[in-house]
Structure formats: C-alpha cells, structure tokens
C-alpha cells in the first residue's frame, strides 16, 4: 500500500514537473515570438497564463511535500 | 476596389509592416466559437478524470495525499491543454493585402508556418465558398478556397472557418478576380421553357 502510494506520488510529481516545464517554455517562446514575429498575446491572456504557471509551480511544491512526507512517514 | 472594413480586420491580429502603397484588406482568425469545442471537451474529460480519481483514491484506497495529488495533476494538465488550444487559435491568422495573401500559423515549441502568395505573380482562377452543416449555418461561418493558376505544387489557398465568410469571399473575389463574379451578387435566373420563349418574344 505504502509502496504503491510512493510510486503513484512520484509519477504525479514527474507529470507535474513536465507540465511546469512545458508552461514555462511556452511562455518563454511567446516572448521570443513577440520580438521575432510581432505577435503578442493580449494582456489578459498573459496574466491568465502567468497565474496558470504559478499554479503549476505551487502544485509541484505540494506534490514534493507530499512525496517527502510520505517517504519520511513510511520509514517509521 | 472595396475598402477594408472593421469587420474584415481583427484589431488584435498584431501590427503589420507593409510596403509603400500596400494596404491590409483582411486580417482574420478562424471563428472563435470553434475553439470552444476542444476546450469544452477537455474540461469534460478532466471532470470525468476527477471523478475517477475521487472514486479510486478517496473511496477505494482511502488515501488523501493521492487524491490531492491526482487533483493537482489533472488541473495542471487541463490548464496546459486549454492554454495550448487558445494559443494555437490565437496565432493562426489569415492576412490579405493588396499585394499578397499570407497565412501565419505559430504554435510555440512546435510549428511556425508562413504561407505567402504574391498576387502579382499568380492568376486567380476560382474563389469558392463553402458552408457545410447546420452549425455553420447557425453561426454564419465557412471556408473560402482560392485556386491559383501557378507553377507550384500548392494550388490552393484555404481560409478555414471564417466568420461571415460570404462577405470575405465576395471581397476576395473582387480583389483577386477583378470583378463581382460571385453568384450572390449577380443571381442567375431560371425560366421554364414556355416562359423563356415568351420573354424572348417580348424582347
């Protein structure tokens, strides 16, 4: 049961990190597109994307916390 | 030649640098309503996944950490997919100027496509408009297909799912073909044979 929990938490953590990186790279590319192509998202959309990126960052932190606490509690 | 109207130019399509005496006539994206279908599907699918996650992790395994983790991952994925759909729609633009047709498709980390047709190098042979299905009819959008007589592999320039495509198509045919060739403005009248002979006799 504990082993399954740890494996699943680790899997969720990896997936979250992937989405965090994906979002970050997207926003970085969009900044480049603004310079190269002259295409830019509207301010509202940029704000929403930044909130989504911060949410992604937050969820990675929560998942890391859950993973670490489960690992530590599993030893006792 | 018809002047550009506000309905033919989406003002948030960006700032364009044009050549001297070049004028932007059309700058449009696909109809925004089409973007809502994949977004709605993604949201629905994520709701199903959330329900499945709740059943498995909270009711089945009785593990709150796994339940919380699954919720976070599903929300993350959904936000990522919805953002990608929006960005893909936003950066797909059709631009028509007095000198060229241009289609720009940009998808970060994936695709950058610029399809350009110089109007002084080609001869337009057809401007076809198509609206298929009740949904297209209700929301007034369709596809415009422009065929060129040119020595390239790509013989068609397609403007997909354009809102008020008839207006845009008529404007394009005026620009490209040079006259009001679209049937909507010059209707063909049909007469029964006896009526026709009567009319012919009258004239």
């Amino acid at each position: 049961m504990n082993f399954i929990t740890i494996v699943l938490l680790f899997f969720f953590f990896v997936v979250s990190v992937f989405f965090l990186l994906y979002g970050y790279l997207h926003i970085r590319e969009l900044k480049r597109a603004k310079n190269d192509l002259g295409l830019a998202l509207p301010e509202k959309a940029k704000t929403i994307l930044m909130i989504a990126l911060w949410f992604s960052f937050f969820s990675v932190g929560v998942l890391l916390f859950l993973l670490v606490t489960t690992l530590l509690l599993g030893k006792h | 030649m018809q002047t550009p109207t506000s309905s033919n130019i989406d003002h948030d399509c960006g700032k364009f640098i044009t050549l001297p005496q070049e004028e932007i006539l059309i700058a449009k994206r696909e109809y925004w309503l089409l973007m809502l279908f994949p977004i709605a599907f993604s949201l629905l699918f994520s709701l199903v996944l959330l329900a499945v996650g709740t059943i498995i992790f909270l009711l089945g395994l009785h593990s709150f950490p796994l339940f919380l983790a699954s919720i976070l991952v599903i929300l993350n994925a959904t936000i990522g997919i919805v953002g990608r759909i929006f960005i893909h729609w936003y950066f797909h633009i059709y631009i028509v100027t007095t000198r060229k047709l241009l289609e720009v498709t940009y998808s970060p980390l994936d695709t950058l496509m610029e399809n350009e047709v110089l109007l002084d190098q080609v001869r337009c042979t057809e401007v076809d408009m198509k609206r298929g299905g009740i949904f297209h009819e209700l929301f007034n959008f369709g596809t415009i297909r422009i065929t060129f007589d040119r020595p390239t592999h790509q013989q068609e320039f397609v403007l997909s799912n354009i809102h008020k495509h008839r207006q845009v198509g008529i404007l394009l045919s005026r620009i490209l073909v040079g006259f009001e060739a679209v049937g909507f403005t010059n209707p063909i009248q049909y007469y029964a044979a006896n009526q026709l002979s009567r009319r012919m006799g009258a004239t």
Side-chain angles (χ1 to χ4, degrees):
Chain A
M1 170 63 191
N2 240 342
F3 178 72
I4 293 170
T5 307
I6 289 163
V7 168
L8 281 173
L9 277 176
F10 184 72
F11 171 72
F12 287 147
F13 174 72
V14 170
V15 174
S16 260
V17 169
F18 168 78
F19 277 108
L20 175 65
L21 276 174
Y22 187 71
Y24 169 72
L25 289 172
H26 250 79
I27 287 171
R28 204 185 66 170
E29 281 291 307
L30 284 173
K31 282 179 184 168
R32 191 185 292 173
K34 188 183 176 183
N35 295 331
D36 294 353
L37 300 170
L39 296 171
L41 282 175
E43 285 301 318
K44 275 184 189 172
K46 271 185 211 166
T47 312
I48 291 168
L49 279 180
M50 284 311 291
I51 290 169
L53 191 67
W54 277 107
F55 173 76
S56 194
F57 188 70
F58 164 76
S59 62
V60 166
V62 171
L63 281 166
L64 188 63
F65 172 75
L66 286 174
L67 188 62
V68 170
T69 47
T70 312
L71 277 170
L72 289 176
L73 289 174
K75 281 185 178 177
H76 295 288
Chain B
M1 188 175 288
Q2 186 172 331
T3 53
T5 58
S6 59
S7 64
N8 291 327
I9 297 175
D10 291 350
H11 293 288
D12 52 351
C13 274
K15 292 173 182 172
F16 305 104
I17 299 169
T18 52
L19 292 167
Q21 297 178 335
E22 185 180 17
E23 192 182 348
I24 295 170
L25 301 168
I26 295 167
K28 272 192 172 290
R29 295 191 178 86
E30 286 190 345
Y31 193 33
W32 62 268
L33 204 68
L34 284 169
M35 175 181 59
L36 293 187
F37 286 110
I39 287 176
F41 179 76
S42 308
L43 293 177
L44 206 67
F45 190 65
S46 69
L47 277 178
V48 171
L49 285 180
L50 282 173
V52 170
T54 309
I55 290 166
I56 292 174
F57 297 124
L58 206 61
L59 303 176
L61 296 174
H62 301 288
S63 169
F64 183 72
L66 279 176
F67 168 68
L68 184 64
S70 69
I71 283 180
L72 288 174
V73 168
I74 291 165
L75 286 179
N76 250 330
T78 309
I79 290 168
I81 290 166
V82 168
R84 183 170 168 74
I85 290 167
F86 174 76
I87 288 169
H88 188 77
W89 169 80
Y90 193 83
F91 289 122
H92 187 189
I93 307 171
Y94 299 103
I95 299 163
V96 180
T97 73
T98 47
R99 292 174 66 95
K100 63 185 164 196
L101 298 177
L102 180 67
E103 180 187 3
V104 182
T105 307
Y106 174 61
S107 186
L109 305 173
D110 191 8
T111 317
L112 171 61
M113 192 266 286
E114 291 176 52
N115 180 19
E116 191 172 295
V117 179
L118 296 170
L119 294 176
D120 55 352
Q121 303 293 317
V122 294
R123 193 167 64 88
C124 175
T125 54
E126 285 178 35
V127 179
D128 300 325
M129 285 175 268
K130 184 188 171 189
R131 185 168 65 195
I134 187 168
F135 195 72
H136 289 226
E137 179 78 29
L138 284 173
F139 292 98
N140 191 16
F141 68 94
T143 298
I144 303 159
R145 197 175 291 273
I146 303 163
T147 311
F148 293 104
D149 180 17
R150 60 174 174 165
T152 60
H153 297 294
Q154 195 178 3
Q155 294 176 339
E156 285 184 336
F157 189 94
V158 182
L159 290 88
S160 303
N161 301 316
I162 299 293
H163 186 44
K164 294 179 182 173
H165 71 293
R166 277 170 58 172
Q167 287 178 14
V168 177
I170 289 168
L171 175 60
L172 278 170
S173 71
R174 282 176 186 162
I175 298 161
L176 301 171
V177 185
F179 59 94
E180 296 183 14
V182 183
F184 307 118
T185 50
N186 294 332
I188 300 165
Q189 295 179 27
Y190 295 94
Y191 296 98
N194 56 346
Q195 286 179 324
L196 183 65
S197 57
R198 211 177 297 151
R199 280 182 68 86
M200 294 288 278
T203 54

